[in-house]
Amino acid sequence: MPRLHEYIQSTSNISSILLDIDNRYKMFWSNEQFCRFNMFNRHFFNPTSKLSFKKFLKSAEHPRNIVVVVDPPFGGLVDCVCESLKWISRFAFSLFGQNSTQLLTTLWLFPYFMEKRIKNQLQLTMLDYRVDYENHRKFKEAKHGRYMSPVRIFTNIKNKTVRLPSPDYSYRFCELCQRFVAKDNLHCKLCNDCPSKDGRTYRHCNICQICVKPGRKHCKTCDRCQPPLHSCNPHTSDGCHSCGEATHKRKDCPLLLNHQKTEVSLKKNKLLKFKSRKRKSFFSNP
């Protein structure tokens, strides 16, 4: 986001403000352009930052003129980011005398495999646009599907109104879905959707009644499509990931608890032996 903020500040008539926890940005931008802010607990590190943010929101004249772009750490809790987006929206609407639970126009950059978690809390849809990072070791531009960046854009903007670069690039407009998708994301008549998430062409499984990633085959034991070399475990999703039993979760697994107890006892024994050696060496010295 700092690069986007810098671009807007230098080349556009649009005003922007950067909220980030990294305090080093204050060396480059003033209090009106940068606020030190923790996205996960909605904390401003000083009162001046909150006042600057409030002033910036008021300058928009209406909530519909505000766009929130977030690019949080991929290891961060989705729940916390969702609550922060809701709080920012409520705060913005309250400044204009509106009591609304509606979300501001939002663009959230996050891996596609977190789509379900995000959709469970916010009414956002995923654009089939691959976000590449120049300074990231893995998420750089790649030509092969499985090595492409998994980062996508989740937004509450109608997908059909978001134009992706085509036809010279890797995207096309699907007339049936009424949205832009990757070229290899072919429309499935049975699913009535362009189902691919990672840029590769999915295939339809008649047993699962959904489209699955290429290379996956239906496993009768697991009762779903799985990679060729997988260990069958029909209760993995509902029960324990360690032993496969459906009666408990992994944290309550007897095998795991016994293993942990064994490790603790071994550590205690090692510590006792180490202490006894130290005592012997101490008393043996003249």
Side-chain angles (χ1 to χ4, degrees), residues 59 201 204 245:
S59 66
T201 304
H204 189 84
E245 292 292 334

Side-chain angles (χ1 to χ4, degrees), residues 154-221:
F154 296 87
T155 181
N156 52 359
I157 303 173
K158 291 183 179 180
N159 284 13
K160 65 179 181 181
T161 63
V162 181
R163 295 184 60 85
L164 300 183
S166 64
D168 298 332
Y169 293 84
S170 303
Y171 304 96
R172 63 178 180 83
F173 186 77
C174 178
E175 295 290 345
L176 298 173
C177 294
Q178 285 294 298
R179 66 187 179 102
F180 281 87
V181 295
K183 279 185 177 180
D184 294 331
N185 188 2
L186 303 182
H187 189 88
C188 176
K189 294 181 180 179
L190 298 174
C191 295
N192 194 27
D193 187 25
C194 294
S196 178
K197 306 293 183 183
D198 59 5
R200 294 181 289 174
T201 304
Y202 283 18
R203 66 170 188 84
H204 189 84
C205 175
N206 293 322
I207 303 173
C208 294
Q209 293 296 309
I210 57 170
C211 286
V212 296
K213 293 181 178 181
R216 296 201 173 191
K217 295 182 179 180
H218 193 85
C219 175
K220 293 182 180 179
T221 307

Side-chain angles (χ1 to χ4, degrees), residues 95-235:
L95 294 176
F96 296 96
Q98 301 180 31
N99 185 15
S100 176
T101 57
Q102 185 181 353
L103 204 65
L104 293 172
T105 303
T106 303
L107 298 168
W108 181 355
L109 281 66
F110 221 56
Y112 68 83
F113 45 80
M114 301 300 290
E115 180 183 15
K116 188 176 180 180
R117 292 284 303 276
I118 294 173
K119 283 187 172 182
N120 284 340
Q121 300 192 56
L122 298 176
Q123 293 182 350
L124 301 178
T125 56
M126 188 179 77
L127 298 178
D128 198 13
Y129 179 75
R130 186 183 71 250
V131 180
D132 298 317
Y133 293 81
E134 289 183 359
N135 57 349
H136 198 284
R137 185 169 58 89
K138 291 184 178 180
F139 301 156
K140 293 183 179 180
E141 186 176 359
K143 296 181 180 179
H144 303 288
R146 64 179 301 179
Y147 299 108
M148 290 181 179
S149 169
V151 183
R152 301 293 185 269
I153 299 175
F154 296 87
T155 181
N156 52 359
I157 303 173
K158 291 183 179 180
N159 284 13
K160 65 179 181 181
T161 63
V162 181
R163 295 184 60 85
L164 300 183
S166 64
D168 298 332
Y169 293 84
S170 303
Y171 304 96
R172 63 178 180 83
F173 186 77
C174 178
E175 295 290 345
L176 298 173
C177 294
Q178 285 294 298
R179 66 187 179 102
F180 281 87
V181 295
K183 279 185 177 180
D184 294 331
N185 188 2
L186 303 182
H187 189 88
C188 176
K189 294 181 180 179
L190 298 174
C191 295
N192 194 27
D193 187 25
C194 294
S196 178
K197 306 293 183 183
D198 59 5
R200 294 181 289 174
T201 304
Y202 283 18
R203 66 170 188 84
H204 189 84
C205 175
N206 293 322
I207 303 173
C208 294
Q209 293 296 309
I210 57 170
C211 286
V212 296
K213 293 181 178 181
R216 296 201 173 191
K217 295 182 179 180
H218 193 85
C219 175
K220 293 182 180 179
T221 307
C222 299
D223 195 27
R224 61 179 178 272
C225 289
Q226 295 276 37
L229 300 175
H230 73 280
S231 55
C232 293
N233 193 344
H235 302 298

